[in-house]
Amino acid sequence: MSVRDSQRAKVYDAEQLVRGVFDRADRFGSRTVDLYGSQITLPIERRFASVTSVQAYADKVLALNWVRAQWDRASIPVRVRSRAGATAAHYEAADAVLAVPLHTGGTAWALRELVVLHEIAHHLGPSRDIAPHGPEFCSCYLELVDGIIGPEAALLLRATLLNCGVRFN
């Protein structure tokens, strides 16, 4: 029996909004944004040029001491491969594969840190018999964003997830 992934659309909506904020910060050169009446300065979000660079990044994330201490599955390596479809990245749990679309249609929307951390959160996250984008996944994803991109990025992501109706632990 498959588990209903009732938060999937909400998580994707929130992520699209957050990526848009980072894109505008990059485009206009101002990293300061207003978030519910407070000004925060966004950190730089890493971008990648190839499967090789995503693989190197994923390997480094899984090798971090605090990541290994937090999640047992950090000791299981992931393999990164290109994905033919252009609309989504995904994680293949059976083989621990992170699949990302490369440059398609003049864009490399998935070759960015927020997307790669989302897929790594699927690798590290809870058992396979619960909703893939449930509260446990979202908590794992937020912890990764907080510890790797920075607390300001995590605050923006957390506030946006909450605003979209997403639950997390």
Side-chain angles (χ1 to χ4, degrees):
M1 179 176 166
S2 64
V3 178
R4 186 167 183 269
D5 195 8
S6 62
Q7 293 197 140
R8 180 177 186 230
K10 293 174 184 178
V11 169
Y12 288 172
D13 287 347
E15 286 180 314
Q16 186 173 357
L17 291 168
V18 169
R19 287 193 310 264
V21 171
F22 273 91
D23 288 345
R24 283 188 297 284
D26 290 343
R27 188 170 36 251
F28 297 115
S30 173
R31 306 224 57 86
T32 302
V33 297
D34 288 322
L35 181 66
Y36 297 108
S38 296
Q39 287 194 335
I40 62 171
T41 302
L42 295 177
I44 301 294
E45 179 195 11
R46 292 169 185 90
R47 305 292 177 120
F48 306 102
S50 65
V51 167
T52 304
S53 59
V54 175
Q55 182 70 63
Y57 176 81
D59 293 344
K60 288 177 184 174
V61 168
L62 294 177
L64 290 168
N65 289 337
W66 68 269
V67 171
R68 287 191 173 243
Q70 180 76 15
W71 295 284
D72 293 337
R73 290 187 49 83
S75 64
I76 300 169
V78 296
R79 183 177 64 84
V80 179
R81 70 166 179 85
S82 63
R83 180 170 193 260
T87 59
H90 71 266
Y91 175 70
E92 300 163 2
D95 298 318
V97 172
L98 194 160
V100 292
L102 301 179
H103 297 81
T104 53
T107 183
W109 73 268
L111 295 176
R112 60 189 305 159
E113 200 166 20
L114 286 165
V115 172
V116 174
L117 289 176
H118 174 117
E119 301 310 326
I120 290 173
H122 282 301
H123 174 69
L124 296 175
S127 69
R128 308 300 167 228
D129 59 345
I130 63 172
H133 295 92
E136 297 83 1
F137 163 81
C138 292
S139 295
C140 177
Y141 181 36
L142 279 167
E143 285 184 59
L144 288 172
V145 169
D146 187 19
I148 296 170
I149 300 177
E152 298 85 359
L155 176 63
L156 174 61
L157 180 59
R158 181 184 309 274
T160 308
L161 287 166
L162 284 169
N163 195 46
C164 288
V166 173
R167 293 178 299 111
F168 44 88
N169 295 339

